[in-house]
Amino acid sequence: MLAQKLKGKIHYVGVNDRKIHRFEGMWPVPYGVSYNSYLIVDESVTLIDTVDVAYGEVFLQKIRSLIGDRPIDYLVVNHMEPDHSGSIRLLAQLYPGLVIVGNKQTFGMLEGYYGLRDEQRYEVKDGDFLSTGHHKLRFTLTPMVHWPETMMTFDETEGVLFAGDAFGCFGALNGGVVDEGMNLDIYWDEMVRYYSNIVGKYGNPVQKALGKLAGAPVRMICSTHGPVWTGERIARVVGLYDRMSRYDTDEGVVIAYASMYGHTEQVAEQIAAHLNAAGVKNVAMHCLNKTNASFVLRDVFRYRGLIVGGPTYSGQLYPEVEGLLSKLSVRELKNHVIGCFGSFTWAGAAVKRTIAWGETLKQNEFLPQTVELKQGCLADTDEACRQLARAMAERIRTAKS
Ligand code: FEO
């Protein structure tokens, strides 16, 4: 249960959750997730964010291994989502002199979630400041990254950015905490998946936050999830967030489909083969009967092209595909080229519905070439697949991202 020293008087006191199946009850986390919290043991003791209350006991053990019976003076609340705010009530009970540092939005949520209204507060505005002794903390409000109260705390003494969820990723921490001593292979993919699943809708607020942070001499990024970033990884992490929040993508196509008896799947396979023949190297196939939409969203934030396909089911689009369309709409996609295919047995609805959905995506290009299968594949099906694939290959090369 050891806390780990990071820099200056800053220590890592976060925890790993390896039992969780779905983050936010929705997103699979095969590698688990970490809830990161940081303790500055200075003239004043300052805690930055807390952890899911299920890990409150382990969390307290880590804190006490550093400060014993000494009280915590300040709790900085960068984000109120309960994976980080969950232990606040516990701390407020244990440390009655605790001053909670947050912004106006933070305190409304503290009362709503935890009934905390009488605690001592330091309500900060953009650019406000707190000295803990050696460390000097500056607060930057970053609303809607990805909740309205989100803010970041920059330690000007050591160049450490406490970023909240920003620059975070899925994946529990396997022994190490700081990037340079860890095998990072899983975290890069998991960062794209985290961004697309959790933050994806809020590209503009992320851009505004990056603008506010530009020029700050950041030497370490302490997110609330995943490794602590240092060295040349800082530019990579910030660059990833910058690209994803601009919906800037690589040349490639995601094919996301569902199929009941394999006929719709044959169309997906034929389109994929024609894309490859047209020179598209990056083709990411996702069968929604098996694969959670979480992984599709990850690849949609990577590649410019998206082709969605599914059967007609009870006069509507197959529900697994409909669910994906809903998740895509929530993320307010931009700069994508989108196509569709579908199938039916007696009355077609899948293609019609997907076209209607495509018409709502104003900042994307929806291809007029579609493939609609009645029952099984016929001689002209392959030609329709070829036309859709060729149009997609051409447009992802010329579409401005
Ligand atoms: Fe990790 Fe938005 O909470």
Side-chain angles (χ1 to χ4, degrees):
M1 298 306 170
L2 289 179
Q4 287 164 270
K5 183 169 178 177
L6 294 180
K7 202 173 182 49
K9 298 171 189 294
I10 304 169
H11 303 260
Y12 178 84
V13 290
V15 299
N16 289 308
D17 187 347
R18 300 179 200 279
K19 291 182 188 159
I20 185 172
H21 287 277
R22 297 205 172 195
F23 188 79
E24 292 185 345
M26 191 162 30
W27 313 111
V29 274
Y31 305 112
V33 67
S34 69
Y35 310 121
N36 298 345
S37 171
Y38 304 91
L39 191 69
I40 306 174
V41 186
D42 203 346
E43 288 171 28
S44 302
V45 175
T46 302
L47 184 66
I48 314 276
D49 292 311
T50 76
V51 303
D52 188 305
V53 70
Y55 290 85
E57 182 61 29
V58 177
F59 180 49
L60 282 174
Q61 282 179 33
K62 287 193 171 192
I63 291 171
R64 284 176 171 153
S65 75
L66 290 167
I67 61 171
D69 292 334
R70 201 179 156 189
I72 300 173
D73 300 295
Y74 296 102
L75 168 61
V76 176
V77 181
N78 282 328
H79 183 25
M80 273 299 295
E81 195 163 2
D83 51 334
H84 310 297
S85 69
S87 298
I88 292 180
R89 182 159 49 198
L90 181 67
L91 290 168
Q93 287 166 352
L94 289 171
Y95 300 103
L98 185 70
V99 177
I100 300 180
V101 183
N103 57 70
K104 192 173 178 185
Q105 303 269 7
T106 314
F107 291 112
M109 292 185 187
L110 266 177
E111 183 166 349
Y113 272 113
Y114 304 111
L116 297 176
R117 60 181 72 85
D118 300 323
E119 282 60 30
Q120 296 180 66
R121 299 177 175 187
Y122 173 24
E123 185 177 312
V124 301
K125 297 188 181 59
D126 208 24
D128 277 352
F129 180 79
L130 173 70
S131 172
T132 66
H134 173 68
H135 290 269
K136 318 289 180 200
L137 306 179
R138 181 84 60 188
F139 305 102
T140 300
L141 304 194
T142 54
M144 301 319 300
V145 181
H146 60 125
W147 277 28
E149 86 300 354
T150 45
M151 64 182 205
M152 298 189 195
T153 301
F154 184 56
D155 171 22
E156 295 180 341
T157 310
E158 296 287 349
V160 178
L161 179 67
F162 300 98
D165 281 344
F167 315 117
C169 57
F170 294 134
L173 300 172
N174 299 321
V177 170
V178 180
D179 55 1
E180 63 188 354
M182 302 169 65
N183 183 328
L184 300 172
D185 290 352
I186 64 164
Y187 299 109
W188 298 113
D189 259 12
E190 289 295 77
M191 180 172 286
V192 180
R193 196 162 68 86
Y194 181 87
Y195 179 88
S196 64
N197 290 191
I198 310 299
V199 188
K201 171 177 177 167
Y202 300 104
N204 286 337
V206 171
Q207 280 291 304
K208 281 186 189 150
L210 291 175
K212 278 185 168 185
L213 295 169
V218 177
R219 293 193 287 277
M220 176 179 274
I221 294 179
C222 293
S223 171
T224 44
H225 298 291
V228 167
W229 302 108
T230 63
E232 65 270 22
R233 271 83 53 195
I234 288 177
R236 180 170 174 182
V237 165
V238 174
L240 256 178
Y241 260 69
D242 179 41
R243 272 199 87 189
M244 292 187 291
S245 58
R246 288 187 287 106
Y247 298 87
D248 185 15
T249 44
D250 291 332
E251 188 180 304
V253 180
V254 177
I255 301 179
Y257 68 94
S259 184
M260 285 189 283
Y261 299 104
H263 302 98
T264 318
E265 183 164 60
Q266 284 178 42
V267 177
E269 296 285 0
Q270 283 173 259
I271 293 169
H274 284 298
L275 282 169
N276 181 262
V280 180
K281 288 184 181 169
N282 297 314
V283 178
M285 302 281 287
H286 289 292
C287 176
L288 293 165
N289 304 101
K290 176 179 170 187
T291 303
N292 188 283
S294 170
F295 299 90
V296 181
L297 295 176
R298 176 197 64 196
D299 288 344
V300 167
F301 273 74
R302 274 190 178 136
Y303 297 129
R304 201 161 303 138
L306 168 64
I307 300 178
V308 181
T312 298
Y313 191 87
S314 296
Q316 298 181 38
L317 177 60
Y318 192 71
E320 299 302 313
V321 183
E322 185 66 48
L324 175 66
L325 301 192
S326 165
K327 291 180 176 73
L328 288 164
S329 291
V330 165
R331 275 145 193 84
E332 298 181 2
L333 280 193
K334 295 182 179 68
N335 306 331
H336 279 74
V337 182
I338 302 173
C340 80
F341 62 97
S343 63
F344 66 97
T345 297
W346 67 94
V351 167
K352 197 172 155 191
R353 160 64 188 142
T354 314
I355 290 172
W357 167 79
E359 285 168 355
T360 67
L361 304 176
K362 301 295 182 200
Q363 297 188 63
N364 302 271
E365 177 181 348
F366 199 88
L367 296 174
Q369 294 86 354
T370 59
V371 183
E372 188 166 36
L373 194 68
K374 181 178 180 183
Q375 296 152 12
C377 290
L378 297 173
D380 60 356
T381 306
D382 189 58
E383 177 54 23
C385 292
R386 191 179 72 87
Q387 286 184 20
L388 173 56
R390 284 173 66 107
M392 176 60 78
E394 183 192 320
R395 294 306 303 150
I396 59 171
R397 289 181 185 125
T398 53
K400 193 169 182 295
S401 65

